[in-house]
Amino acid sequence: MEFFKRRREADTQLSRYRDQKFQGSRAEQEDKLLKSSTVYVGNLSFYTSEEQIYELFGKCGDIKRVILGLDRITKTPCGFCFVEFYDREDARNAMRYVKGTRLDDRIVRVDWDTGFEEGRQYGRGKTGGQVRDE
Amino acid sequence: MKFGGEVVEKLTNNFKDYLKSCNWSKASSLIRFFGDLCNCHVISASSLLNLFETLVDVTMEDNIPQARSDFYVYSVLSALPFVGKELNDKNHENLEQLLNNIENYISKRSKTHHTALRVWYSDSPHPQEEYLDCLWAQISKLRSEKWVEKCLSRPYLSLDSVLCEALTHNLPQIQIPPHESSFIYPNPRVIFRLFDYTDCPEDNILPGAHNIERFLIEEHMRWIIDQNYFARKEWYKIDYLNYINKFLFSAIALLSFPGLLKQKIPLEYMVVEVILGELFTLPKSKYLEICYGSLLLELCKLQPSTLPQVLAQAVELLYDRLDSMNVDCIGRFASWFAYHLSNFQFSWDWDGWSTCLTADNLSPKQRFVRETLQRCMRLSYHQRIAEIVPETFQCLLPDLPAPNNKFAEDETGSLSGTPYAQKLLNVLKEKHTPEEALEVLKDIPNPLQESEEEPSYNPLKINVFLTCLLCYLSKSFTHLFAGFAKYQLCLKSLNTSEEAQICILKTMFEVWNSHQQLIILLTKKFLKAGIVQHSAVANWLFSKDMSAELTKSYVWELLHETILQQVKTVEKIEKELEEAKEPKPKSEDGKEAGADGDIPMEEMVEKLEEKLESAQSDQKNLFLIIFQRFIMLLSEHIQSCESQNKSFKNLWFRWMIGRLQQVFFEHQENVFKYVSTLESLLFTPEVDQHILLIFRQFCSLRA
């Protein structure tokens, strides 16, 4: 039984990635990640709309809001978003079932997020988009 | 010596606890485990039979739900493939007596629920059997074959020399906890059958429907899903689960079924059948649709050379059999299939389904294809879907979602709202405050003033404001929801009565009827912000304005969302109340620290209790409205058909009666709270038998 319990908790385990711009200590960050009901979604097409995100992630539970990542300069979508659920369990479903499947033919990345704060919707790359794209 | 006895004691104690706490699945697997322990000479055959007899004796109890006796009989029957041979060898007569008792019970069961739980109404090509009937047939066949089954792994056989000398223990006499009204037993089921041996490749023989192997393999697969659904991804990352993975998908799997080494089974077919069977389970599937959907994607990735073909074959069979498929299952099929296609670039041989083009507009085949395309569009975009389907299928494509602004199109100025709409649009464009927007609305005359003394709302005001707002913000969901938040105050001030709320919903529909997904999302926003009540949404959906929409599935998606929001509201208050009642740790000066410094605890609890009571009564009311509307709608249909000497059992009726059943099934737990009210107020003997039957079938799930 202990084995399965551990397995069940595996979804909650965090990936190695940590947001370097997080304001606060590493411990605070971990704590927030373990309680959050927000997920970061990456590797989206620039053309993926909010409608599509609502449709796919809505299959996991009730969505509070979607914040589309924007290019800092052009203010156009640049391939990522945050999906905020009402319940953590629903966010966990997104981690379990959406991670690694396709949206707009691209394999999407899903990761726990500490929760959206104003400003985080903008790309952090030199040219305004995501760092990864440079 | 002592250890074995302690294990048996511990297991019996666990078993008793599981029965007391209604943990049926665990109790059931323990019964099976006891059976196999008998094979290992840990438990004596006579004491095991004794236990089985005690369990089957539950069928003799008076005034218990059938679901209770079903559970005990099912548990015994499903343990027999493991231990039947041993019992037959050692206590043949007692086993026969037990089986006779079971047979007697099986023949007397009521099966009102059977029709309701079938995925297909038709018995061709495969009968959808009631689960106990099916298991009984399988066990009877096994009995006639001298209890020899060909697929269980029995590692203890190779240790026979050691085990036969071991001391066996007697299971203590177990008292079955008597039935209590709060006990909820597992729902009865119907066995999902999609394939038979002719569907599979020749060298892989699919065990027949009444072969015990079919039962055992399927049960094992379901167990694997149950244990692992929560961590689909990790299936092949952890060593133990590697075994399961192999069990399912490779030649090594067959090694875990030693008897099948010579007889290969079509594993992919069985996996697909089990997963689709779970997805289509009635009254409701155990897990989210996306759980099964992503599991199938994963399997396609792991077995790219075989699984996708088997799945495609399954989809073809499902499509062929749509005409007799349960209405709710058709919806689940479309939704899952669109999701699946979205992971495979939407490639599908649509031309193969061109029969749906000439079929009736309400035929399940055409409705299914329309619904699938609509779902595909929601996961993609209009043009993409237009490109993937052949020319001939364009007529089934959803509309291009676009807002409909009647005031902007009103060039002749024939609508009395147009001048206000223009003024309001400027206010919105110049980003004025909600108060300024309300200022513009103030002057709008009330068309109801002419006929009513004091109208409860101003329809024109609502119409102008909402049309302008929704059209102005139509650029994206973000714009829409941000604007919605900004002008929430205005919206709230427009909600002056239930008529006003329905008018708000009507206006929203008028503007966005081409965007089904948005209608659902906006309604949810309205509900959450308290701009409309749940009951208003139900009344609106059943109103004349929406009657043409009722055959489309988004209407029902919306209704179920609305019910779900209501249920969640109640649950939230219940939780708050529970938390408020919990004794708070006393602070240092000895006073109780309330959650909110100013409000004393008791007062807060009282307030929450009131709030809960009103939310609960809202919930009950919501269900009553929905069922009443259904009865009216269906009765009207039956009467009008009869007066025209037409059969009322047409396609429309089939869809609607299926939707009624879906409301019962989707919200089973909650609807059961109102069964007696429903019986005395709504589903009375005066109601047409065809409508009443749906209610009776529902009641039989726990009868």
Side-chain angles (χ1 to χ4, degrees), chain B residues 662-676:
Chain B
Q662 195 187 351
V663 176
F664 280 118
F665 281 2
E666 278 274 330
H667 309 282
Q668 192 193 152
E669 299 302 317
N670 285 297
V671 181
F672 262 111
K673 294 178 191 159
Y674 315 122
V675 157
S676 55

Side-chain angles (χ1 to χ4, degrees), chain A residues 1 3-11 13 45 47-68 70 86-87 89-90 92-107, chain B residues 26 223 227-235 238 240-241 287-291 294-295 297-298 301 335-336 339 342-346 375 377-381 384 401 476-479 481 515 517 521 524-525 528 557 561 565 568:
Chain A
M1 288 305 116
F3 170 77
F4 286 118
K5 202 172 146 225
R6 225 166 46 229
R7 297 293 324 288
R8 224 166 290 142
E9 283 158 6
D11 307 302
Q13 272 168 24
S45 148
Y47 300 100
T48 298
S49 68
E50 287 172 279
E51 269 102 324
Q52 290 169 271
I53 295 161
Y54 269 98
E55 180 69 11
L56 180 61
F57 285 86
K59 289 177 185 289
C60 300
D62 213 358
I63 297 173
K64 199 170 187 177
R65 60 176 175 163
V66 170
I67 299 121
L68 216 50
L70 299 177
Y86 285 94
D87 294 328
E89 195 50 36
D90 296 342
R92 190 176 291 169
N93 285 333
M95 292 286 291
R96 284 172 186 154
Y97 307 125
V98 183
K99 196 175 173 175
T101 65
R102 286 171 193 272
L103 182 60
D104 266 335
D105 302 331
R106 298 169 65 93
I107 294 179
Chain B
K26 281 193 174 161
W223 181 84
Q227 296 304 323
N228 300 286
Y229 87 97
F230 45 81
R232 171 183 57 93
K233 278 304 200 181
E234 270 69 24
W235 272 32
I238 290 181
Y240 170 76
L241 290 159
Y287 307 119
L288 296 175
E289 171 205 306
I290 193 172
C291 162
S294 66
L295 178 57
L297 291 176
E298 203 66 29
K301 250 189 256 171
S335 173
W336 161 72
Y339 167 77
S342 78
N343 273 270
F344 291 95
Q345 289 152 357
F346 297 103
R375 290 279 179 174
M377 186 188 73
R378 281 162 66 162
L379 285 163
S380 179
Y381 48 96
R384 175 92 196 271
S476 75
F477 277 14
T478 297
H479 285 85
F481 298 152
H515 202 327
Q517 184 195 13
L521 286 172
K524 270 162 85 172
K525 293 262 174 210
K528 287 208 162 96
E557 195 186 338
E561 278 292 343
Q565 298 289 337
K568 278 188 181 170

Side-chain angles (χ1 to χ4, degrees), chain B residues 406-419 422:
Chain B
K406 65 176 175 192
F407 298 115
E409 287 154 16
D410 179 31
E411 279 160 10
T412 55
S414 57
L415 297 169
S416 56
T418 308
Q422 283 164 350

Side-chain angles (χ1 to χ4, degrees), chain B residues 312-326:
Chain B
Q313 193 181 336
V315 168
E316 292 292 357
L317 292 177
L318 291 171
Y319 176 80
D320 285 342
R321 297 171 196 172
L322 275 170
D323 284 335
S324 66
M325 202 181 205
N326 172 291

Side-chain angles (χ1 to χ4, degrees), chain B residues 355-370:
Chain B
T355 48
C356 75
L357 294 167
T358 48
D360 189 296
N361 183 351
L362 285 181
S363 69
K365 286 198 167 95
Q366 195 184 102
R367 282 281 142 185
F368 166 76
V369 174
R370 274 182 195 278

Side-chain angles (χ1 to χ4, degrees), chain B residues 193-260:
Chain B
R193 289 274 178 254
L194 182 63
F195 297 122
D196 68 15
Y197 71 97
T198 58
D199 297 310
C200 309
E202 276 176 20
D203 52 341
N204 287 343
I205 298 159
L206 184 71
H210 286 163
N211 268 14
I212 200 70
E213 285 77 20
R214 189 80 169 258
F215 169 79
L216 290 169
I217 298 169
E218 286 171 353
E219 278 274 299
H220 201 124
M221 285 176 177
R222 265 195 293 272
W223 181 84
I224 290 169
I225 296 173
D226 277 344
Q227 296 304 323
N228 300 286
Y229 87 97
F230 45 81
R232 171 183 57 93
K233 278 304 200 181
E234 270 69 24
W235 272 32
Y236 47 90
K237 281 191 195 152
I238 290 181
D239 279 346
Y240 170 76
L241 290 159
N242 213 358
Y243 144 72
I244 286 168
N245 207 11
K246 285 169 183 164
F247 160 82
L248 282 174
F249 308 111
S250 67
I252 301 165
L254 298 173
L255 292 174
S256 60
F257 288 110
L260 289 173

